[in-house]
Amino acid sequence: RAAAAAPDGSPERRSLEDESSSLSQRTRQAEQDNATIYQDPVPSAGALPRLEPKLFVKPIRPEEGLSSAQAAYADAFPALLPAATAAAVTQFHGEVHAKLHDLSTRTTSDAEKAQKALAELELPQALEACEADKRLPARLVRAIAKAQATGGVGVLEELLSACTALEKEAVGAATM
């Protein structure tokens, strides 16, 4: 039916016709082999008895001590993995775990440092106080005025670019 739906001469139609012809030839060959070798007629599909389902694998509980997540990812076929590959995988997992642990530790440390720095500057409390009267604390106003009097952000940017240039010059001199 599918071959008839495809346009005449199309590659799809030719492919379907070739497959149909191949299947017909295989069926004739199987019937001939059955009649001459086994001497049993090929039964129709309706004449075959219904196959009853069989249990191939007995379910078992995961190993004791494993969490459900560990049991779900437990390697069921360790013997299929070459020893060198298994060692490389184990090493990779160890390196990934170590890097993640290091990142977690550094993140926690950085967060604690940031909280400490904010607490030393009394910024959280100062900002909360600003919300009430919409004014910065006098201490912050004086610090801002002092920074602006010495040139403010522009001077800081100039100093930073001068430091960056000096650093490049020092690195260049050190590599000579």
Side-chain angles (χ1 to χ4, degrees):
R1 276 187 258 170
D8 287 333
S10 70
E12 293 85 8
R13 184 172 187 144
R14 283 193 304 268
S15 176
L16 289 170
E17 288 171 347
D18 289 347
E19 287 300 317
S20 176
S21 172
S22 174
L23 288 173
S24 296
Q25 181 182 354
R26 288 182 184 178
T27 301
R28 284 191 303 278
Q29 183 64 45
E31 288 172 345
Q32 179 184 0
D33 289 348
N34 197 38
T36 58
I37 297 172
Y38 308 109
Q39 299 182 354
D40 288 333
V42 176
S44 67
L48 295 173
R50 185 173 188 281
L51 296 176
E52 294 299 319
K54 300 288 182 189
L55 182 66
F56 283 95
V57 179
K58 180 180 177 185
I60 59 170
R61 290 196 179 281
E63 293 181 32
E64 294 300 320
L66 289 180
S67 70
S68 60
Q70 289 171 322
Y73 293 105
D75 189 0
F77 305 104
L80 296 177
L81 198 59
T85 304
V89 167
T90 300
Q91 180 183 354
F92 175 76
H93 282 282
E95 290 171 2
V96 167
H97 178 74
K99 285 182 181 183
L100 289 174
H101 185 268
D102 181 51
L103 286 172
S104 175
T105 303
R106 287 192 329 202
T107 302
T108 302
S109 173
D110 289 348
E112 289 171 356
K113 286 178 186 176
Q115 290 216 346
K116 184 179 177 185
L118 288 173
E120 287 173 1
L121 296 171
E122 298 176 2
L123 282 180
Q125 297 84 358
L127 292 176
E128 288 173 7
C130 292
E131 289 177 7
D133 61 2
K134 305 291 184 207
R135 294 175 149 188
L136 290 175
R139 180 181 59 80
L140 287 177
V141 171
R142 285 190 301 274
I144 291 170
K146 183 178 175 184
Q148 289 173 339
T150 58
V153 175
V155 170
L156 287 176
E157 287 175 348
E158 288 175 16
L159 289 171
L160 178 62
S161 70
C163 287
T164 303
L166 286 172
E167 180 185 27
K168 287 179 183 176
E169 185 179 323
V171 168
T175 58
M176 288 182 169

